[in-house]
Amino acid sequence: MGEEACNIELGLAIGGNDYLRPKQVLKEVIQEDINTIKSWRWKPKIEKYEDSDHGNEKHGMRKKLKLSHDQLASLEACFRAHNILNPAQKQDLARELHLKPRQVEVWFQNRRARTKLKKAEMDCEFLKRSCESLNNENKRLKREIQELRSGKHRTSPFFFPTMISAVCPACERMKKEPSSSSSMAC
DNA sequence: CGAGGGCCGATCCTTACCTCA
DNA sequence: GATGAGGTAAGGATCGGCCCT
């Protein structure tokens, strides 16, 4: 990691307000003399730990990579083409993006998982709306039945007694054959 | 049948951003 | 208005289990 990245992490050389000074870094340096702080160079935590693909880093600081815009664009494009990579594709993509194959693999795993989650959320939302709409329709039809039964619409040109007898009094559903056994529940 | 590798779901953890006092 | 604490979302990384070869 270069000096620029270090400065960005510290919040020292900021062009805009894209980055904030991390609290933990601030805590570490708060006791320092201001001159020391100015000359201090942030040592990336990543470099303090063994570079391992699968190592358990629970007892150390877990490194977190921030993928660049270009890397993300390539990964996205590749994901759209095929959301599961074969080993050769993984190797090629990793080499092209200067990432480890494991990182590419993890990115695809997370991408698949989060795509699936997103889809599930959208499906859920759609079903909720459908359910809500059906409930409203159900209420409306029940009201209509009630009104028809109470005779409110006897003067209406849309009133047909056979329609009432076609509705089961028990479950309030339309009977399959309204003409036969009209007084019985289905 | 056991080993190895890949995928998935759950979870951890860092980072960036937002809100509020 | 500036600042710091706390909350939250996003997303990279890890773990354990399952399945397949």
Side-chain angles (χ1 to χ4, degrees), chain A residues 62-169:
Chain A
R62 181 184 288 178
K63 48 182 142 178
K64 177 165 173 147
L65 166 79
K66 178 81 181 164
L67 296 170
S68 72
H69 181 267
D70 288 347
Q71 284 173 322
L72 279 175
S74 297
L75 286 164
E76 284 290 348
C78 211
F79 183 81
R80 276 195 293 276
H82 23 243
N83 66 359
I84 293 182
L85 290 178
N86 63 40
Q89 288 172 322
K90 193 198 301 174
Q91 288 288 346
D92 289 349
L93 194 56
R95 199 176 315 114
E96 181 191 330
L97 302 177
H98 307 293
L99 293 170
K100 292 174 188 166
R102 172 67 182 159
Q103 288 174 309
V104 173
E105 183 182 310
V106 166
W107 187 89
F108 269 74
Q109 280 176 6
N110 284 323
R111 188 71 171 77
R112 281 194 294 272
R114 281 157 188 161
T115 298
K116 189 176 176 182
L117 186 66
K118 205 81 188 165
K119 188 181 177 304
E121 282 173 3
M122 286 169 69
D123 287 349
C124 182
E125 201 55 41
F126 174 76
L127 287 173
K128 266 200 303 198
R129 274 201 291 272
S130 299
C131 183
E132 204 171 307
S133 158
L134 285 170
N135 274 330
N136 289 337
E137 177 70 359
N138 190 29
K139 281 177 193 166
R140 190 187 68 74
L141 290 170
K142 278 182 177 176
R143 269 202 308 275
E144 208 168 293
I145 288 169
Q146 202 61 42
E147 286 169 5
L148 287 168
R149 284 222 177 91
S150 66
K152 270 187 181 178
H153 291 243
R154 277 179 201 281
T155 55
S156 162
F158 300 106
F159 173 70
F160 299 101
T162 52
M163 285 292 283
I164 295 182
S165 59
V167 175
C168 169

